[in-house]
Amino acid sequence: MVLALLLALASASAPTSASSTTPEATNPAATSPPTSPPGRARLRGRVMVYGSRDPVAGARLLGDENSAETDKTGHFELWLPPGEHKLLIRAAGFQDLSVSIKLEDRQDLVYEYRLAPDVAGNKFRTVVRQQREVAVSSTTLRDEELRAVPGTFGDPFRVVGSLPGVSQLAGFLPYVVVRGAAPGNTGYYLDGVRVPILFHVALGPSVIHPYFIDQVDFYASGAPVRLGRYASGIIEGRTRAARRDRAYGEFDVRLTDAGGLVEIPLNYKYDRACLAEQRKKARSKKTGRVKREECRRGPARGSLTLAGRYSYTAGVLTLVQANLKLRFWDYQARFDHALGKRATYTAFALGSFDELGEKSNPTPFVRFEFYRLVQKIRHELPRGGVATYSLGLGLDRTGLSRTRSNEWLIAPRVDVRVPVGESGNAEFGAGIDQEVQIFRGATAATASEGWKLESLTQLFSDRVVSATGVYAELLWRKGRFDIRPGVRGDLYAQVGHSPVLPQARTVTHAFGIDPRILVREKVGERWTLRQNVGVYHQPPSFPVPLPGLESFGFERGLQRNIQGSVGYELVLGNKLAITQDVYLGRLSNLQDYDLASLSSGKLQEIDDLVISAKGWSYGLETMARLLPGQRAYGWAAYTLSRSTREYEYGGRAPSNWDQRHIVNVVLGYRISDRWSFGGRLHFHSGRPYTVQIGDQTASEALLYNRNNRRLPAYFQLDLRAERTWRFRAWSLHFVADVLNSTYSSEVIACVLQGSSDAASSGAGAIVSDASCGSRGLRYILPSLGLRGVF
């Protein structure tokens, strides 16, 4: 069915880009009353993008006598003498369009011209730019490049896995490891709102519709103080502003799921005199209608955006595995409206649901869900200052078999930014970040299932946590320097069950102060130096992020990372930019995992699995990227890293997350306005595990040679191809994305020979040297989909 549809579209779509830009007259024969003076004629209309309903602002109409330029809505007006005229329509990022028109004396013609995108002005690009906000480079991904990287299946947040300093749990899992810390030490934000997870279970996409995202900021370190409570990297997604000039929509259908997005402008301003004239014309024609859109005065004052995705993966898996049950869905809704000239109001609701289990068992293996409702008022202050007031409400739920955890969230926040001094070279920012977390647990687990009930009270007990954050920073610009000092303080207090006496209640607390400073210095036309150092604290957390499973006992203390980096940026010509950073971090009291207990079958307490660890992380990150504006886009990233831990048994050894070498090469090319291709090459060295040598016991192996072996290295190649059909006012895209096209086997564990229990080992586990056998997962994951934009 899909192939038949594609063949039909190939025959119905415009044959060439040249013919696709042929001007179309909306009503060339009809003329308005002869208001033009004798010897003159008027040409007016609109310039738009071929294949969509977007206007082209700033397009120039160059004639042999006069010229004109389109306004922000794409409209233009040009007065010319009667006769034949040749016009050249030119706009940045589009192909030139030459048209010929013939005008009669005192004629008034209305035309609509559509410009085809210029392939040389490639909009599929990588943007890694310096933000004034942080005074040190963060990696910022924007535009269509967010959805054009092979192997990401169009999800913006998966692109982060191809950046320097980042590794993944496995090639098919989206959870990231930043600079040797556990995945739970990386924070996820959306428009400044903390969210527990970014991806659906298993091979699911991100929990936010990809075309809802305008840009993604990745901070391996040096995050601004407004973002905190995480000891390692931070990923922040920013949603795009809704259109207020017209309705907009898109849909996508893939083998495993379908989704869509709709933007609806609300509350237009209308010119009353124009409306009266339209009503008069409608009455005179009797069958005519009032054309209210011709009387609009600027964009709408509000907008409503709706987006969502639903998975029918369960039906697909039934063809392969009849007993497996997998389902997920998500939704997003945002309402924006102006409150006068200086204030805007935003209400943002989003939610996500995941379930994985067996059809024969009503109790799923895992169930994740979270919901957020955030209301925000943005107020423009005098002299360019901005104050933001927000209130967030949330519910996070995690289910592991018959064990449940529910977290209710109340999060008010205030952020103020004001300029300092008359020169405008300084800006002061301060804010209050408050969270109240209310945990309500429910468990049917018993000691016979391998868990002691007192150990579960730390994770699933009823408790209330208050997290109060206060921060302040100064951005100062002087000559070649950008300097941003800041400090953040977080006070945590918890009231709940005692971890020692489950029937008793106790109060625990912790306090962390995070000073940070970031500096940039432009030492030449193409050279820029950058440095940052800071302290990052995080409350106790699970090593892998799970909704509703955090802050489980401040008697453990806060996790801490004291980290700094030094690097540079170098631009070579107008084609290539190179960045390099050397980083060093001291990790303290991190919540890590230890599969040694799981290997030996002695897992009885949470402390047997989740341990407190300290250590070091250091390395070199290099990235060479193609600059925007070329047919090709992409980058090459190499990370040389070390991550060590100082264990209570075994002393200093590589951490379970340590990967020495990580290479990512991303390259895409637009052949024409119809076709684009891309590939991603990924390589990483293996993570460590412990081997018993000779007749060693498990305890002796941990004591004398912990993590003394490594899993094999892994290589994969991802491919992507996109075919575009452009019609007059909409476009259709067919995308084929293949993850691990080389069918490489990724070794994720080293197991006992003859054993079928793959869970008994892996990175950080203990096995016998003589009986160690590689357990790999060989897979190839294709994704085919159609996307329509209108």
Side-chain angles (χ1 to χ4, degrees):
M1 184 179 69
V2 174
L3 291 177
L5 179 59
L6 293 178
L7 291 175
L9 290 171
S11 61
S13 60
T16 64
S17 60
S19 62
S20 69
T21 58
T22 301
E24 301 178 20
T26 57
N27 194 7
T31 62
S32 60
T35 57
S36 304
R40 306 293 289 178
R42 181 170 68 165
L43 175 67
R44 57 192 174 95
R46 199 176 190 189
V47 179
M48 305 185 71
V49 179
Y50 189 84
S52 76
R53 295 183 294 160
D54 293 337
V56 180
R60 292 180 295 164
L61 285 82
L62 306 176
D64 47 8
E65 293 190 13
N66 298 328
S67 61
E69 184 172 318
T70 59
D71 60 16
K72 61 183 179 181
T73 63
H75 287 92
F76 68 90
E77 182 178 275
L78 184 62
W79 292 89
L80 296 168
E84 294 188 2
H85 298 272
K86 290 186 178 181
L87 299 177
L88 178 65
I89 305 177
R90 175 170 293 172
F94 297 89
Q95 299 178 22
D96 289 347
L97 175 63
S98 298
V99 296
S100 298
I101 58 172
K102 185 176 181 180
L103 299 173
E104 298 179 2
D105 189 24
R106 305 183 69 180
Q107 191 176 29
D108 189 358
L109 289 183
V110 179
Y111 273 80
E112 180 181 280
Y113 299 105
R114 291 186 175 266
L115 301 182
D118 185 7
V119 178
N122 188 6
K123 64 179 180 179
F124 295 88
R125 64 184 185 272
T126 304
V127 181
V128 184
R129 66 178 186 181
Q130 159 60 22
Q131 292 197 349
R132 304 288 288 187
E133 178 191 19
V134 296
V136 68
S137 287
S138 63
T139 303
T140 299
L141 306 168
R142 297 196 67 186
D143 301 325
E144 292 290 329
E145 187 270 343
L146 285 173
R147 292 161 286 274
V149 173
T152 64
F153 300 147
D155 283 321
F157 295 108
R158 285 183 180 265
V159 183
V160 174
S162 299
L163 298 178
V166 180
S167 63
Q168 296 179 225
L169 289 181
F172 57 92
L173 292 178
Y175 297 108
V176 297
V177 176
V178 179
R179 291 184 174 177
N185 294 131
T186 297
Y188 306 134
Y189 281 83
L190 183 66
D191 284 344
V193 179
R194 204 165 60 90
V195 293
I197 56 175
L198 281 182
F199 302 95
H200 290 289
V201 297
L203 299 173
S206 62
V207 298
I208 308 297
H209 193 279
Y211 294 93
F212 206 92
I213 300 298
D214 178 61
Q215 72 178 57
V216 173
D217 297 330
F218 169 62
Y219 304 93
S221 67
V225 293
R226 65 177 177 85
L227 304 176
R229 298 174 181 159
Y230 289 97
S232 187
I234 288 181
I235 302 170
E236 182 179 23
R238 299 176 185 264
T239 58
R240 67 183 184 187
R243 299 171 185 265
R244 299 194 180 188
D245 59 335
R246 66 170 181 86
Y248 173 86
E250 53 186 78
F251 67 88
D252 62 279
V253 180
R254 302 191 299 184
L255 294 177
T256 56
D257 55 78
L261 179 145
V262 177
E263 297 176 347
I264 306 171
L266 302 173
N267 198 5
Y268 282 104
K269 288 184 179 181
Y270 293 95
D271 185 278
R272 295 184 178 181
C274 177
L275 287 175
E277 182 67 23
Q278 287 288 337
R279 295 190 186 99
K280 183 179 179 181
K281 290 181 179 180
R283 286 194 298 267
S284 64
K285 294 181 180 180
K286 293 184 180 180
T287 58
R289 67 180 183 89
V290 178
K291 299 180 180 180
R292 294 173 60 89
E293 61 274 7
E294 296 185 3
C295 300
R296 292 173 181 169
R297 296 175 55 188
R301 286 173 287 184
S303 63
L304 176 65
T305 304
L306 303 173
R309 180 164 26 207
Y310 178 78
S311 169
Y312 36 82
T313 310
V316 177
L317 289 178
T318 301
L319 303 175
V320 181
Q321 173 55 260
N323 196 35
L324 186 63
K325 179 176 63 177
L326 172 64
R327 62 191 181 109
F328 62 80
W329 50 259
D330 58 66
Y331 70 87
Q332 302 89 44
R334 190 178 67 190
F335 172 73
D336 300 273
H337 203 281
L339 302 177
K341 296 182 179 180
R342 290 184 170 269
T344 57
Y345 169 79
T346 299
F348 188 22
L350 66 153
S352 171
F353 176 87
D354 295 85
E355 186 178 78
L356 176 63
E358 293 179 336
K359 293 182 180 179
S360 59
N361 188 352
T363 302
F365 300 145
V366 294
R367 175 183 291 171
F368 302 144
E369 55 184 311
F370 78 90
Y371 308 91
R372 290 290 186 276
L373 173 60
V374 181
Q375 300 183 81
K376 183 183 300 183
I377 294 178
R378 187 178 185 275
H379 182 212
E380 297 181 6
L381 303 176
R383 299 182 57 224
V386 176
T388 304
Y389 317 95
S390 65
L391 173 63
L393 305 174
L395 171 62
D396 299 348
R397 289 176 173 172
T398 284
L400 303 174
S401 186
R402 289 186 290 169
T403 304
R404 302 285 186 269
S405 175
N406 302 318
E407 176 187 357
W408 299 87
L409 181 67
I410 304 173
R413 182 167 185 159
V414 178
D415 183 272
V416 179
R417 308 280 160 170
V418 294
V420 178
E422 299 296 332
S423 61
N425 290 333
E427 179 184 274
F428 176 76
I432 300 175
D433 181 7
Q434 174 68 46
E435 281 190 7
V436 177
Q437 305 164 0
I438 304 172
F439 295 88
R440 294 292 181 263
T443 177
T446 63
S448 62
E449 294 179 284
W451 290 89
K452 293 186 178 180
L453 293 179
E454 55 266 30
S455 68
L456 291 175
T457 60
Q458 298 183 56
L459 294 176
F460 303 102
S461 64
D462 294 351
R463 62 194 189 277
V464 177
V465 175
S466 172
T468 304
V470 180
Y471 58 87
E473 58 187 350
L474 179 68
L475 173 58
W476 180 65
R477 309 177 183 93
K478 185 67 173 180
R480 300 177 301 170
F481 290 90
D482 281 358
I483 304 176
R484 190 186 189 98
V487 62
R488 178 187 178 99
D490 287 282
L491 174 63
Y492 304 91
Q494 174 178 281
V495 179
H497 290 287
S498 168
V500 180
L501 300 174
Q503 302 304 319
R505 297 183 66 83
T506 184
V507 177
T508 58
H509 66 277
F511 177 74
I513 184 167
D514 299 356
R516 306 174 192 175
I517 184 169
L518 307 97
V519 180
R520 279 178 63 93
E521 180 186 5
K522 192 173 182 62
V523 296
E525 184 65 26
R526 300 181 180 274
W527 282 88
T528 302
L529 301 180
R530 56 191 192 186
Q531 309 89 35
N532 78 86
V533 64
V535 180
Y536 306 87
H537 283 96
Q538 180 178 352
S541 64
F542 211 64
V544 177
L546 300 175
L549 206 60
E550 59 179 340
S551 304
F552 51 83
F554 292 102
E555 69 279 352
R556 291 172 170 263
L558 297 180
Q559 305 177 80
R560 183 174 64 183
N561 184 2
I562 304 176
Q563 186 174 175
S565 67
V566 178
Y568 69 89
E569 301 172 3
L570 172 62
V571 178
L572 299 178
N574 298 319
K575 300 294 185 180
L576 189 68
I578 298 176
T579 61
Q580 274 194 320
D581 291 281
V582 178
Y583 68 90
L584 173 65
R586 175 58 175 172
L587 311 173
S588 305
N589 198 36
L590 290 192
Q591 305 301 307
D592 215 329
Y593 79 95
D594 192 347
L595 286 183
S597 300
L598 187 60
S599 303
S600 58
K602 299 179 180 179
L603 182 60
Q604 295 292 324
E605 298 281 356
I606 290 178
D607 288 340
D608 293 334
L609 178 63
V610 180
I611 63 173
S612 296
K614 60 182 178 179
W616 295 88
S617 67
Y618 50 94
L620 171 67
E621 300 168 350
T622 304
M623 184 175 185
R625 65 180 179 89
L626 295 173
L627 294 178
Q630 307 175 67
R631 287 199 177 197
Y633 73 91
W635 63 86
Y638 169 64
T639 302
L640 173 63
S641 66
R642 288 294 308 272
S643 177
T644 64
R645 297 291 186 270
E646 298 169 14
Y647 295 97
E648 182 178 357
Y649 295 98
R652 186 176 180 181
S655 77
N656 300 330
W657 310 105
D658 182 54
Q659 281 185 328
R660 302 285 178 85
H661 307 280
I662 306 171
V663 178
N664 287 287
V665 180
V666 177
L667 183 62
Y669 189 79
R670 294 196 68 190
I671 297 178
S672 65
D673 189 44
R674 291 181 173 190
W675 288 98
S676 64
F677 295 90
R680 170 183 176 262
L681 182 152
H682 172 81
F683 169 85
H684 66 248
S685 54
R687 291 194 175 97
Y689 62 95
T690 303
V691 169
Q692 297 171 242
I693 300 176
D695 58 352
Q696 283 183 336
T697 64
S699 298
E700 291 174 336
L702 289 176
L703 181 62
Y704 297 111
N705 44 266
R706 180 189 284 262
N707 284 343
N708 58 339
R709 296 287 191 275
R710 288 185 177 271
L711 299 174
Y714 175 67
F715 166 86
Q716 78 177 54
L717 176 64
D718 307 327
L719 299 174
R720 183 183 189 275
E722 180 174 356
R723 171 65 161 93
T724 302
W725 291 270
R726 296 188 184 275
F727 304 89
R728 177 178 173 274
W730 69 289
S731 62
L732 186 67
H733 307 257
F734 172 73
V735 179
D737 204 339
V738 182
L739 180 68
N740 193 21
S741 63
T742 51
Y743 196 48
S744 302
S745 176
E746 183 173 11
V747 179
I748 57 177
C750 188
V751 301
L752 297 177
Q753 294 286 3
S755 171
S756 61
D757 186 9
S760 66
S761 62
I766 308 174
V767 295
S768 171
D769 192 19
S771 59
C772 176
S774 297
R775 177 63 59 88
L777 181 62
R778 187 182 295 274
Y779 59 89
I780 179 171
L781 300 175
S783 175
L784 303 177
L786 288 174
R787 172 187 171 228
V789 182
F790 55 92

